[in-house]
Amino acid sequence: MRRRSLLIAVPAGLATLAACGDDKSDSSKASDSASPSSSSSASQAPPPKIVAGPLPAITAGTKFGEKPTVAKGTGDPSKDLAVKTVIAGGGTTIAEGDYIQAHYLGQIWSTAKVFDNSYDRKTALVIQLAQNSIIDGWRYALTGKKAGSRVQFSVPPTWGYGKQGNAQAGIKGTDTLVFVVDVQDTFNAKSSAKGKDVAQGDAKLPKVGTNTDGKAPSIEIPKADAPTKLVSEYVIEGDGDEVAADSTLLVQYKGVVWDSGKEFDSTYSRKQLASFSLQQVVKGWAQGLTGKKVGSRVLISIPPKLGYGDNPPAGSGIEKDSTLVFTVDILAKM
């Protein structure tokens, strides 16, 4: 498995979709390397004062999306959070609690030692700007910025890894960190699929709404018997990367029972996006989303043998041997 960012903490996940017989919820997804949340000392710190500098020069890779080369810091770094918008984007403004998709590079002020970067991995980081999901310096520096921006900032230990540092990354408790972040996109509870509508011509299958205003799409169940095999069809086809069988995804979704049309789970109702690994959900989800493109809305009809069978989650409102119908917006791969 590929190495994950040092910045990632275990994200919140979905209890309902966890595979039957597995006591691990998808929130138990661990990264392949150290995955610290903010330290207790750092996360209890008051909000920082944000200042304009000093910040070391970006000497190469100066375009958005290029891996930057950053000079060593000179003199003493600020004890506050120094933040500079190097390239101003024109996208959606980032709010605290939003997810961002970004490439980044992090190095130590005093030595210019790069301790982490996503450019070499060729995979952008997708992370929520929330306390205990990422170091506080990130959420304070990036809140209010716009997607499409390159932001450079320095993070003192107070809003970084605290006095204990991060031994795995070679970060001491006295180190100020310098980051360059290229924010590609941002996602929140109003995010939807982005792509082309696909004709829904099979009268024996549920019809899903194609609205992309962040509101829950409708699911119209036909007066027909539920399919006995898995159905997975595009409602809106995006143009992003294909989902792999072991992908971790950021999604909007809504689930109803075929027989009653009753909704039993929805990110729209909770007003909160969901993230999970396809290795930790029911087989129908994993098989139905594998191979689909990021940016898409997908209709999935899951027969009992690929769902919960005769053992649905307690309190879910799902009866034994129910066929489940989902609409899923694949917002990003994490």
Side-chain angles (χ1 to χ4, degrees), residues 6 17 21 46 52 74-75 81 90 95 108 126 182 242 256-257 267 273 284 312 317 322-323:
L6 290 166
L17 291 172
T74 56
L81 190 68
I108 296 172
V126 178
D182 289 333
E242 287 191 0
V256 303
V257 178
T267 56
L273 301 180
S322 291
T323 294

Side-chain angles (χ1 to χ4, degrees), residues 9 42-43 70 87 97 105 148 192 202 205 221 234 248 253 300 309-310 329:
S43 63
V70 183
I87 299 171
L105 177 141
S192 292
D202 191 338
L205 293 180
I221 305 295
Y234 282 120
T248 295
Y253 74 93
I300 310 176
D310 62 359
D329 283 13

Side-chain angles (χ1 to χ4, degrees), residues 67 103 117-123:
K67 179 184 175 181
H103 274 296
N117 90 90
S118 65
Y119 300 92
D120 289 347
R121 293 193 290 271
K122 302 186 186 304
T123 302

Side-chain angles (χ1 to χ4, degrees), residues 278-332:
L278 289 188
Q279 294 181 318
Q280 295 171 315
V281 293
V282 295
K283 291 180 180 179
W285 262 72
Q287 295 175 19
L289 294 179
T290 297
K292 294 296 189 282
K293 298 175 185 176
V294 172
S296 299
R297 176 170 296 165
V298 182
L299 161 69
I300 310 176
S301 176
I302 303 178
K305 64 182 179 181
L306 296 178
Y308 297 112
D310 62 359
N311 187 28
S316 66
I318 301 171
E319 300 292 335
K320 292 182 179 180
D321 298 319
S322 291
T323 294
L324 309 179
V325 181
F326 288 92
T327 172
V328 184
D329 283 13
I330 309 170
L331 303 178

